[in-house]
Amino acid sequence: MTEITLLYFDGCPSWETTNARLGLLASEYRFQLRRVKVESADDAERSQFRGSPTVLVDGRDAFAAGAEPVGLACRLYRDTRRSNSCVRCWLNACEELSAPCGRKSRVLR
């Protein structure tokens, strides 16, 4: 079963919205949703936390491009339509997590 982890910190204005959206997807896709509060710079470093909210799919950052700094900060997603379909893409192709997200042809909308 795929595990989705939502990493966040208190004071993040977006984590609760992300949590609600993931909750809806969890019932549709039947995955386990874990929530992890990042409370310190040490926690951020240990978990490779690239800002709140961060979504991990089976332990991998679903949206990382590779250049994002690690630390306690807000994380901005410039294109929420892409982000929503990207989560679905990752869920549809979770057995192929090494494939770059967005290059799959089976993205659900």
Side-chain angles (χ1 to χ4, degrees), residues 77-107:
Y77 296 94
R78 296 192 196 300
D79 184 351
T80 57
R81 290 169 301 174
R82 180 182 175 277
S83 296
N84 288 337
S85 64
C86 194
V87 168
R88 290 175 186 268
C89 164
W90 276 82
L91 292 171
N92 282 336
C94 63
E95 69 280 359
E96 301 175 39
L97 286 175
S98 60
C101 191
R103 294 189 184 169
K104 303 300 285 182
S105 60
R106 296 183 338 143
V107 176

Side-chain angles (χ1 to χ4, degrees), residues 6-51:
L6 173 61
L7 300 170
Y8 69 96
F9 67 84
D10 277 341
C12 170
S14 301
W15 87 266
E16 289 177 349
T17 300
T18 303
N19 182 52
R21 289 178 179 164
L22 288 172
L24 292 173
L25 288 172
S27 62
E28 181 180 344
Y29 284 90
R30 295 184 178 96
F31 60 79
Q32 179 181 352
L33 176 59
R34 253 186 44 181
R35 295 156 195 90
V36 176
K37 183 169 30 169
V38 178
E39 300 190 59
S40 69
D42 288 340
D43 286 349
E45 190 65 38
R46 264 191 302 282
S47 63
Q48 292 298 291
F49 181 64
R50 301 192 186 291

